[in-house]
Amino acid sequence: MRRRFLLLLFLVLALFAAADAAVVTRVTVRGASAKTPRSLLTLLATKEGLPFSLPTLRADCETIVAAYRAEGYYAAESWIDTLLYAPDSASLDVTLGVQEGPRYLIHEVLLEGVSDTSRDDLRDALHTAAGGALDPALLEEDIARILGSYARRAHPYAAVRIGGVEARPDTTLAVRLIVEEGPAVTIRAVRIEGLSSTREEVVLRETRLRLPEPYDEERIGAVADRLRRLTIFAEVAPPELRMSDTSGVLVLRVSEGRTSSLDGVLGYAPAPTGGGGGSVAGLVDLDVRNLAGTARAFRIHWQRDARASQEIRTRYAEPWLFGPPLTVHALFEQRQQDSTFV
């Protein structure tokens, strides 16, 4: 009895091994009308001339179903119809069956919990619309657009969830989105953490916020970029909103970096034998990017090559000249050269 069982098991395993070793000579799809069989065949991993794999063929059936559902055929099915082996089991023809079912298109998208002033603007921003197929990925993008729209209009705590998708007898869909707008937030104060030498009014000026101001995610997001462009902070954290009822405090965390540097070398050349005084030669570079904590920048370069020449170059930057966000640069450069050494 045990020998018979082992022999039967061996035969079954041999059949599976032979199936995996067989080469696909033909792949056919039956039952497709909304999609052409040729377009479906291009989606399959099972192809003519390749070794046959049953798990791969089952995955191909799932691929076909996913392709149909992406176009609104939510009741579509696909299955392995026939596997026709050659007499020597070295090759086989594969046939897949398809049942498409009805196509469901969106009839309407319902927005619940939205104020009348926002409804039309939000509906125009949606890409999921009547007459199209329901695409889950596109619907998620639409939800992100709704949240972004609210965040730009003083509602950073808005929430959106899918309330349901109703399939109607006329093969149309009603998509229901439930919106919780949350409170309207007004920023009434800005708190800056991490300053050591920079003046607080410099950072407040760079935010360009006019308090009190309705929360706007785009304007708040630009604050950190402006502070980084000052080049006086080693690190600028994303702004954090802290709430008290409907009033918000915007917290800015910064870490000041090194804003001054001095490089130089000096030398003294004694007077020549013929008489005269000695001379000083060298190079000095002084760079200050946050003068007295005001974000003003100053740089001086001095270079002298013994008695032959001397070069002085200074640069000054004044930010927010006379109030507007306008930086003015002033440059002075002088070069002296003794023609005797030319």
Side-chain angles (χ1 to χ4, degrees), residues 248-263:
V249 176
L250 191 67
V251 179
L252 304 177
R253 293 190 182 91
V254 298
S255 175
E256 296 199 29
R258 182 180 177 183
T259 58
S260 300
S261 63
L262 174 63
D263 296 316

Side-chain angles (χ1 to χ4, degrees), residues 78-140:
S78 180
W79 62 90
I80 301 174
D81 191 57
T82 57
L83 300 176
L84 183 60
Y85 281 87
D88 58 358
S89 298
S91 61
L92 79 161
D93 293 344
V94 176
T95 302
L96 299 180
V98 172
Q99 183 176 344
E100 297 175 333
R103 189 184 189 192
Y104 288 83
L105 296 178
I106 298 173
H107 174 70
E108 61 180 342
V109 179
L110 303 173
L111 297 174
E112 299 183 4
V114 178
S115 61
D116 293 337
T117 57
S118 303
R119 190 179 304 276
D120 292 340
D121 292 339
L122 294 179
R123 196 180 298 279
D124 292 340
L126 297 179
H127 292 179
T128 301
L134 178 59
D135 184 342
L138 188 61
L139 185 59
E140 290 294 331

Side-chain angles (χ1 to χ4, degrees), residues 10 23 36 46 59 91 97 106 118 121 135 176 209 214 229 239 241 290 292 309 319 327 331 341:
F10 175 78
V23 175
T36 64
T46 301
S91 61
I106 298 173
S118 303
D121 292 339
D135 184 342
R176 188 161 59 98
L209 299 177
R229 284 197 293 268
L241 179 64
N290 190 16
S309 64
T327 300
L331 175 66
F341 295 91

Side-chain angles (χ1 to χ4, degrees), residues 224-296:
D225 292 335
R226 293 193 185 102
L227 294 180
R228 293 187 186 100
R229 284 197 293 268
L230 288 175
T231 69
I232 62 177
F233 298 116
E235 184 178 356
V236 178
E240 178 186 346
L241 179 64
R242 296 180 183 175
M243 291 296 300
S244 174
D245 296 328
T246 59
S247 297
V249 176
L250 191 67
V251 179
L252 304 177
R253 293 190 182 91
V254 298
S255 175
E256 296 199 29
R258 182 180 177 183
T259 58
S260 300
S261 63
L262 174 63
D263 296 316
V265 58
L266 294 175
Y268 177 76
T273 307
S279 62
V280 176
L283 170 69
V284 175
D285 275 315
L286 173 63
D287 189 6
V288 180
R289 297 195 309 275
N290 190 16
L291 186 63
T294 62
R296 296 183 175 95

